[in-house]
Amino acid sequence: MKRYLSGSFVAFLIVALFISSCKKSDPPPVEINIGTAPIITNVTPSSVRIGGELLSIGDAMTSNGICYSATNATPSVADSKVAVDSLAFVFGGKLNGLTPATKYYARAYGINKAGTFYGDVITFTTPSSTFKLDVDVSTIAGSSTFGFVDGTGANARFDGPQDIAFNSKTGLLQLTDVVNNAVRTVSATGDVLTLTNSGRGYVNGNLADARFYGSRGMVVDAAGNTYVADAGNHAIRKITAAGVVTTFAGSPTGSAGYADSTDPLKALFNVPRSLALDANGNLYVADFGNNRIRKITSAGVVTTLAGDGIARYVNSVAANSNVASFNGPASVAIDAQGSLIVADQGNKALRKVNVTTGIVTTIGGGPNYPNQIGTPVAITIDPQSNIYIVDKGGQILQLRASSKSLYVLAGKANTTGYANGTGATSLFSSPTGIAVDAAGNAYVADFANNVVRKLAITVTP
């Protein structure tokens, strides 16, 4: 009997070992992909906030955060770090105890059983211990009462001031008064005059006869010619310095659509919202309704620079691939390096387009950081390459090029009102346009308040 049991037991072990050997081994651990937010917020001389995100899912994270160093250009968890350990798809950490006026390297990290993984390295410089950004907000023209009246200061009337541009040839601000369907001029002292008369239509000719329909963005060239995104007529109009209005590109009959062409009058746009001009005379169009960025050469050839027409959020990495996507591009501006910066309103993002390759990247905001820059509807760039961002929710922001830091200049997020004052004590109501003069003052088209505001900015290094 003992021999029988012993033999049976051995047979059982052999069968069990055979079955065990047939089972699949545990799968290898799956790596994760981590991203680092490209700009920093909540900046002080000794602290900043940096974000990170989980870009691809693998095995569960066990830890995440931000690592940083003033000496190591590729910081790791062996350097200084802030462990967030929220284990969420989007996370952020506040770096404290930083040294003022110091350059730092930082990146997000995530850890799972496959290892430690890092996002791209960003660099930033903390402000000096004496740094201050003082902003005083005042009203230079208009009144909360809408209308159509030329005059000085509060005696002038607007009805939906939409966009604003600085004409270096005349020294005047030019403004699209969208409900009045007129282009107005505003002096630094608040004197308002009408450049093109009120009245909706689509008429070329001299200034007295010309008509526009819901015009939005403008840009002025060095010769004093003004290009207008005539959104309601789906066309790009030109006002010469001598005061003659023509159709520069788009349908002569006001038809909306999408078509590139070597003949500018056969090209089609769909609610063009904003324009930017580069040093070579090329005009760039935020083609809002087509979710595309268009290019018009000085010879009038219209092409698509970026955007596949689908309202979504996609960057591109391959040259001339045209796979990037926008969701309501609302404003464009050219930076000092010749790149095109785009306020991607629907994606709540600030994007960058390489005008040579068409490659599209994200500077800040986006679906994973929807509160970082709010809802950007207008941008401009000053000679120091600082980017000014108008958040439709009520903030005026500045992304400082020297430190890659985001500051709130004026207003409050998601707060509507009408108040002058310093910084966050001031209030706006659906601001939609911004321009900067040679002295560094910013001017904002405060749409729902029907006024033009001035931001006197004083920087203490």
Side-chain angles (χ1 to χ4, degrees):
M1 185 68 176
K2 287 181 179 179
R3 289 180 182 176
Y4 176 76
L5 287 174
S6 178
S8 298
F9 183 67
V10 170
F12 171 78
L13 286 176
I14 293 172
V15 171
L17 287 170
F18 175 76
I19 293 173
S20 176
S21 67
C22 289
K23 289 183 178 179
K24 292 182 179 179
S25 59
D26 291 336
V30 180
E31 299 180 351
I32 53 178
N33 188 16
I34 297 293
T36 308
I39 61 177
I40 63 172
T41 58
N42 301 94
V43 182
T44 75
S46 61
S47 65
V48 302
R49 182 174 178 80
I50 298 178
E53 57 186 311
L54 178 64
L55 297 175
S56 66
I57 300 174
D59 283 328
M61 283 192 296
T62 56
S63 181
N64 60 2
I66 309 295
C67 56
Y68 59 99
S69 172
T71 56
N72 183 5
T74 54
S76 71
V77 292
D79 296 299
S80 299
K81 69 177 186 293
V82 174
V84 179
D85 293 344
S86 69
L87 310 185
F89 283 93
V90 180
F91 53 93
K94 184 176 181 181
L95 283 54
N96 291 305
L98 304 179
T99 303
T102 301
K103 180 179 180 179
Y104 283 90
Y105 307 88
R107 55 178 171 172
Y109 70 87
I111 300 173
N112 71 359
K113 62 182 181 181
T116 302
F117 303 94
Y118 297 95
D120 292 335
V121 175
I122 63 168
T123 60
F124 65 91
T125 302
T126 50
S128 70
S129 56
T130 59
F131 177 83
K132 284 197 307 179
L133 196 58
D134 295 317
V135 181
D136 183 65
V137 180
S138 61
T139 300
I140 66 165
S143 160
S144 56
T145 302
F146 67 87
F148 184 58
V149 179
D150 287 344
T152 301
N155 294 319
R157 295 288 184 271
F158 303 99
D159 194 353
Q162 178 71 40
D163 196 38
I164 197 164
F166 185 70
N167 187 331
S168 60
K169 194 78 172 178
T170 64
L172 299 173
L173 294 164
Q174 294 184 182
L175 177 140
T176 49
D177 193 356
V178 68
V179 180
N180 284 320
N181 295 294
V183 179
R184 320 280 294 275
T185 63
V186 185
S187 73
T189 55
D191 294 320
V192 178
L193 295 173
T194 296
L195 188 64
T196 67
N197 285 326
S198 176
R200 191 177 85 181
Y202 191 178
V203 180
N204 289 321
N206 59 53
L207 290 176
D209 298 329
R211 293 294 183 269
F212 295 81
Y213 178 19
S215 296
R216 301 298 182 95
M218 290 180 299
V219 65
V220 185
D221 67 18
N225 300 304
T226 301
Y227 300 85
V228 181
D230 194 1
N233 286 319
H234 311 289
I236 312 304
R237 313 284 292 281
K238 180 179 179 180
I239 307 172
T240 68
V244 178
V245 179
T246 59
T247 298
F248 186 69
S251 169
T253 61
S255 299
Y258 169 64
D260 290 334
S261 179
T262 56
D263 182 345
L265 299 184
K266 291 182 179 178
L268 294 176
F269 301 88
N270 188 0
V271 192
R273 281 275 293 269
S274 176
L275 304 172
L277 195 64
D278 71 12
N280 298 315
N282 297 305
L283 194 65
Y284 299 91
V285 182
D287 195 356
F288 185 86
N290 281 320
N291 295 302
R292 290 178 166 98
I293 305 300
R294 315 287 291 281
K295 177 182 177 181
I296 310 172
T297 69
S298 57
V301 177
V302 180
T303 57
T304 298
L305 175 64
D308 59 7
I310 303 172
R312 58 182 179 176
Y313 175 70
V314 179
N315 286 321
S316 61
V317 294
N320 305 311
S321 60
N322 210 27
V323 298
S325 298
F326 300 89
N327 186 3
S331 186
V332 287
I334 293 284
D335 69 12
Q337 290 72 45
S339 296
L340 188 72
I341 310 302
V342 180
D344 191 358
Q345 180 177 337
N347 284 320
K348 297 189 172 185
L350 197 63
R351 318 281 292 278
K352 178 187 283 189
V353 183
N354 184 308
V355 298
T356 302
T357 65
I359 290 176
V360 178
T361 55
T362 297
I363 297 174
N368 286 339
Y369 305 98
N371 299 319
Q372 193 172 69
I373 60 172
T375 303
V377 292
I379 54 174
T380 193
I381 303 174
D382 69 17
Q384 290 72 44
S385 297
N386 300 312
I387 303 174
Y388 297 76
I389 306 164
V390 174
D391 166 22
K392 191 176 182 180
Q395 294 182 110
I396 312 301
L397 309 170
Q398 185 192 66
L399 178 58
R400 295 187 65 80
S402 59
S403 60
K404 297 183 180 177
S405 307
L406 186 69
Y407 291 89
V408 179
L409 295 179
K412 295 179 183 178
N414 303 312
T415 302
T416 298
Y418 181 29
N420 290 317
T422 57
T425 66
S426 60
L427 295 176
F428 300 81
S429 185
S430 295
T432 51
I434 190 166
V436 178
D437 67 15
N441 301 302
Y443 298 86
V444 174
D446 194 354
F447 180 85
N449 283 324
N450 296 302
V451 295
V452 176
R453 316 286 289 278
K454 178 181 179 180
L455 279 63
I457 304 169
T458 303
V459 179
T460 303

